[in-house]
Amino acid sequence: MSRIVERVRRVRFTWTHLAALVIALLVAAPLYWMAVSSFKGKDEIGANPPTVFADHPTWDNYREAFADNNFGTYLLNSVLVSVIATILVLSLSSFAGYALARLPLRGKAPIMVALLMISLFPTIALAAPLFLLMRDVGWLNSYQGLIIVYTALNVPFAVWILRNFFLGIPKEMEEVAWVDGASPVRTVLTVILPQARPGMFTAAIFTFTACWTEFLIALTLNTADRYRTMPVGLALFGSQFTVPYGTIFAAATVSVLPIALLVLVFRRAVVSGLTAGAVKG
């Protein structure tokens, strides 16, 4: 009987890893094709049959993206907006998540449902009202307009993640800090947040990714070229009669690198944070 169970486990283990390998290849194939095509010349990109490798690698596509299409400015704008919005989201959601997890507040369940509904609200329905609001306050074609909007849109989901993670931290740690005379704010900063690093990393990566890849709001609020973010600038490459596929591939490859590096570096923290959020209710 034990041998049969062991064989079943081995078969499951093998098939699970094969399925994971197939999924990984399916996900990696478009990324590989994009990266390789960014080093191909125009003739090689349009070759039939297509080439799996770049026969004559060139940096011309990257030069055109940054020198001729102002992609460096778009990239810096995205970095500025995404980093500041992520910091603001973490600052606000940390205290809100702690309050919903620990403090004896009334109406916690309706608040959590409202936060979930806000996080699921379609962005396209907010584009016109946000445009009118930013026009009235004079924040069209500005950094602060996007930062405030991105912060407001991402706080609800970050609160969900951090609140569930805070529930998994033992209350005894807070009680010891209170006995030592620590205030609630100091307790959160010195005791709770250090223990919630995986959840913080998870919320930060999700928030940064959402801000980094957001297109509709950025296109609506910032029409001036100097304030455009990376997704908008990338979408506007080319003209009415030509599409610079090589330049687009090069810019897209650069835009994917920050997210890929974040996930690779903090993958354990992200998995830990998501697991904790899934277990605690």
Side-chain angles (χ1 to χ4, degrees), residues 5-264:
V5 173
E6 185 65 23
R7 288 181 181 179
V8 171
R9 289 179 179 177
R10 291 181 179 179
V11 171
R12 288 181 178 178
F13 180 85
T14 302
W15 281 106
T16 300
H17 281 70
L18 285 176
L21 179 61
V22 171
I23 294 174
L25 291 175
L26 292 175
V27 173
L31 298 177
Y32 170 80
W33 190 260
M34 177 183 66
V36 170
S37 299
S38 68
F39 292 100
K40 294 180 180 180
K42 297 180 180 179
D43 296 335
E44 191 174 357
I45 290 177
N48 190 16
T51 57
V52 180
F53 305 99
D55 295 335
H56 305 285
T58 177
W59 291 95
D60 289 344
N61 295 323
Y62 289 89
R63 180 189 57 79
E64 292 179 5
F66 284 91
D68 300 337
N69 291 276
N70 205 25
F71 187 70
T73 300
Y74 307 148
L75 200 63
L76 290 176
N77 291 341
S78 288
V79 170
L80 177 66
V81 171
S82 300
V83 169
I84 296 178
T86 300
I87 294 174
L88 291 176
V89 168
L90 291 180
S91 301
L92 296 173
S93 59
S94 297
F95 289 98
Y98 176 79
L100 291 171
R102 286 288 193 261
L103 300 184
L105 302 176
R106 294 183 178 179
K108 286 186 179 181
I111 292 176
M112 297 302 297
V113 172
L115 290 175
L116 182 61
M117 293 178 63
I118 293 173
S119 63
L120 297 176
F121 203 77
T123 306
I124 192 171
L126 302 174
L130 287 174
F131 176 83
L132 296 177
L133 177 62
M134 294 302 163
R135 184 196 62 184
D136 293 340
V137 299
W139 281 1
L140 292 178
N141 292 319
S142 67
Y143 296 119
Q144 63 268 25
L146 275 184
I147 291 171
I148 294 299
V149 172
Y150 286 172
T151 301
L153 292 178
N154 288 283
V155 161
F157 185 67
V159 170
W160 260 90
I161 294 176
L162 293 177
R163 178 257 183 186
N164 292 335
F165 200 89
F166 290 151
L167 289 175
I169 299 176
K171 292 184 178 180
E172 291 76 11
M173 300 182 65
E174 302 168 65
E175 294 173 353
V176 171
W178 294 338
V179 170
D180 292 338
S183 64
V185 175
R186 185 178 179 183
T187 301
V188 174
L189 295 177
T190 61
V191 178
I192 301 301
L193 293 186
Q195 296 296 322
R197 286 179 182 176
M200 298 287 288
F201 280 126
T202 303
I205 290 176
F206 273 100
T207 301
F208 183 85
T209 303
C211 298
W212 185 261
T213 58
E214 201 284 323
F215 173 78
L216 182 61
I217 299 298
L219 177 65
T220 303
L221 300 184
N222 288 359
T223 57
D225 189 67
R226 61 174 295 190
Y227 291 108
R228 283 173 179 161
T229 56
M230 177 270 304
V232 178
L234 182 58
L236 297 179
F237 276 11
S239 62
Q240 182 179 359
F241 302 103
T242 60
V243 179
Y245 290 107
T247 307
I248 293 175
F249 284 137
T253 301
V254 173
S255 67
V256 169
L257 285 178
I259 304 300
L261 292 176
L262 282 175
V263 173
L264 288 176

